[in-house]
Amino acid sequence: VNKNFYLDAAYGYSVMPVKSGARPFSFRHRDSYFNLSSASLNAQLYLKSGYPMEPYLTIGGGVYPWVFRSGMFGGSAWPAPARPQASLRASSPGINIGFGVEANLLLRLTALFELRYTYLFSRDPKRFWTNDLTQVDFLGISLGVIYYFERR
């Protein structure tokens, strides 16, 4: 939009282990994971532009398909507790907000550090027949390298 404000469309995939004490409905699978995809649109406001370190704020939202599984990249989906024919999977709307810093390494190459809080509106008692599954939220930490085809 301008040199300090950008719109960013992104797709991501995350796998998060579920601690035994935090597993919904007392599931005690040996291996339990929360698999999450994301398709989001975010606004980024760079607080300083044209410096070696460029801090920014980000806010956005999107659609987040998710599933609780017994395996990291596969395995069976957990059944809903009161409705075993339905699995604990859905696509939920969500919002995110964060703070990051880009460090310029070369003309078109930057290093990235970002903290991003994401909140999913995943509660659906009609689908899962329970009020025990509440909204899901988490704090993500990203480290990475960005290559710009055209310098912003």
Side-chain angles (χ1 to χ4, degrees):
V1 178
N2 67 38
K3 71 176 194 164
N4 287 15
F5 182 75
Y6 293 87
L7 292 178
D8 176 20
Y11 175 80
Y13 183 79
S14 303
V15 177
M16 296 169 253
V18 180
K19 295 179 182 179
S20 61
R23 294 178 190 157
F25 323 110
S26 301
F27 277 84
R28 296 297 176 235
H29 293 289
R30 183 171 43 97
D31 295 318
S32 300
Y33 299 91
F34 180 67
N35 294 24
L36 175 75
S37 298
S38 63
S40 62
L41 181 63
N42 300 294
Q44 292 181 326
L45 175 64
Y46 283 81
L47 305 175
K48 285 186 168 186
S49 190
Y51 292 89
M53 302 285 275
E54 298 179 337
Y56 64 89
L57 300 173
T58 182
I59 188 167
V63 177
Y64 297 83
W66 57 267
V67 60
F68 283 98
R69 293 190 178 276
S70 59
M72 184 176 282
F73 295 108
S76 58
W78 294 0
R83 191 176 180 197
Q85 68 272 26
S87 59
L88 285 176
R89 71 170 61 228
S91 290
S92 301
I95 56 174
N96 66 71
I97 187 167
F99 171 79
V101 176
E102 283 188 30
N104 294 311
L105 302 175
L106 298 171
L107 181 62
R108 295 178 184 228
L109 191 69
T110 64
L112 168 81
F113 172 78
E114 182 180 85
L115 294 173
R116 188 180 297 216
Y117 173 77
T118 303
Y119 185 89
L120 305 181
F121 300 95
S122 56
R123 186 174 176 271
D124 192 348
K126 289 181 183 174
R127 180 179 180 144
F128 301 122
W129 291 29
T130 182
N131 282 319
D132 291 340
L133 180 66
T134 60
Q135 316 313 0
V136 174
D137 65 334
F138 56 91
L139 179 66
I141 300 171
S142 299
L143 300 171
V145 177
I146 299 173
Y147 178 81
Y148 289 99
F149 291 101
E150 185 176 322
R151 192 66 193 152
R152 50 180 183 83

